[in-house]
Amino acid sequence: MILDRFSVVGKVAIVTGAGLGIGRGIAIGLAEAGADVALAARTESDLEEVAARVRSIGRRALVVPTDVTDAAACEHLVILTVEEFGRVDILVNNAGGAMPRAAMDTSEGFMARTFAFNVTAPLTLTKLAARRMVDTVGAGAVVNISSRSASMTQTMFVAYGAAKAALDRMTRNIAPELAPRVRVNAIDVGGVATRSLDIVLTDDTLRRQFLDGTPMGRPGEPEDIACAVLYLVSDASSWVTGKVFDVDGGTEAPAMTVTAPILTPTPGSPADS
């Protein structure tokens, strides 16, 4: 049966950023499809809530508080997962993000931290998990949760957009190196109804602007992303690797913009007259 190819029964998944929002939705979705899940994020209390939900479904859950920008913590996460479950089949690099910041206010440090969180950390975990996937079960799948900011022009997102574009390119470049045993794909996510979008969805004017800019007429839900992840980590996509999928409600331009300050001459400079 074709639906059998979407099953992940008996498989083990690592999900980062699993405490809230999209990561939480992905972890619960994979558990509902049959996977046991190692849950990673910085806030243990959030992870414990998700673990309780996973266990209520009848699947096993492992809580591992993790700062993914710490390579040793990433290694610890993968080691504990294999010790607990005996294998690892799936990695979802969901942890990431950066606050909006004007380009002229973006420091080298902010840029470096944004790349460390959104690019270097997923690369580190992908390498660690891929080795254990091949050594324990012979194969596996990685999904990087990226953003439509990677391919859209957006003011105030110079660091975040550049980092997610790099994550997409990393996905494409690493995939042929890990094929055919480990498949690597990415999802460019649009506006999803999580805590980070609350400021938009709770303001009538901003919400209308957002919905008018989204062809599907609604924000995404974490489960929308979880469904795409399930496809990409299951045998249903066994001939798919090195691809970036847009899951964004049909948007081809930013549904909203954050206005950047206008660049003007410095007071007292020759051009300030």
Side-chain angles (χ1 to χ4, degrees):
M1 296 288 292
I2 196 166
L3 288 179
D4 293 340
R5 297 188 65 176
F6 289 86
S7 171
V8 289
V9 172
K11 294 188 177 183
V12 172
I14 297 172
V15 181
T16 69
L20 297 169
I22 291 173
R24 179 183 185 277
I26 291 169
I28 292 170
L30 291 177
E32 289 176 342
D36 298 320
V37 190
L39 306 164
R42 283 179 281 198
T43 305
E44 186 170 4
S45 58
D46 292 337
L47 295 177
E48 291 291 356
E49 186 276 328
V50 180
R53 177 69 182 276
V54 168
R55 290 169 186 142
S56 74
I57 297 167
R59 306 311 308 174
R60 293 179 293 168
L62 173 67
V63 169
V64 188
T66 305
D67 176 359
V68 297
T69 64
D70 181 338
C74 291
E75 184 172 17
H76 180 66
L77 167 62
V78 176
I79 289 171
L80 283 185
T81 300
V82 175
E83 287 179 350
E84 177 73 14
F85 299 120
R87 61 191 290 164
V88 59
D89 304 83
I90 296 162
L91 169 65
V92 182
N93 284 310
N94 170 70
M99 294 299 293
R101 184 169 294 191
M104 293 297 289
D105 295 330
T106 298
S107 65
E108 291 183 8
F110 183 80
M111 197 75 167
R113 290 190 297 274
T114 302
F115 268 73
F117 193 20
N118 293 278
V119 186
T120 307
L123 174 61
T124 298
L125 266 171
T126 296
K127 293 192 297 180
L128 291 165
R131 170 46 57 200
R132 293 307 183 104
M133 289 171 181
V134 171
D135 288 349
T136 59
V137 293
V142 177
V143 177
N144 294 318
I145 303 301
S146 189
S147 169
R148 283 309 313 276
S149 296
S151 57
M152 290 182 178
T153 299
Q154 290 183 289
T155 54
M156 300 289 287
F157 287 95
V158 63
Y160 182 66
K164 289 303 188 182
L167 178 61
D168 287 356
R169 176 45 58 191
M170 186 196 81
T171 299
R172 293 184 173 99
N173 284 2
I174 199 172
E177 293 192 35
L178 301 187
R181 291 188 177 274
V182 176
R183 299 184 297 105
V184 186
N185 294 288
I187 299 173
D188 276 7
V189 174
V192 175
T194 62
R195 188 170 61 181
S196 62
L197 203 62
D198 278 350
I199 192 172
V200 172
L201 299 181
T202 57
D203 181 289
D204 288 343
T205 300
L206 294 178
R207 180 182 177 87
R208 176 46 52 196
Q209 182 183 346
F210 174 83
L211 296 179
D212 287 346
T214 305
M216 289 303 294
R218 67 169 178 88
E221 297 292 338
E223 193 169 84
D224 292 316
I225 311 306
C227 289
V229 168
L230 178 60
Y231 167 68
L232 290 172
V233 301
S234 70
D235 288 343
S237 64
S238 63
W239 205 44
V240 179
T241 195
K243 299 296 179 283
V244 178
F245 291 76
D246 293 346
V247 182
D248 57 9
T251 56
E252 289 300 327
M256 298 192 63
T257 58
V258 180
T259 303
I262 297 172
L263 182 62
T264 58
T266 301
S269 68
D272 181 37
S273 59

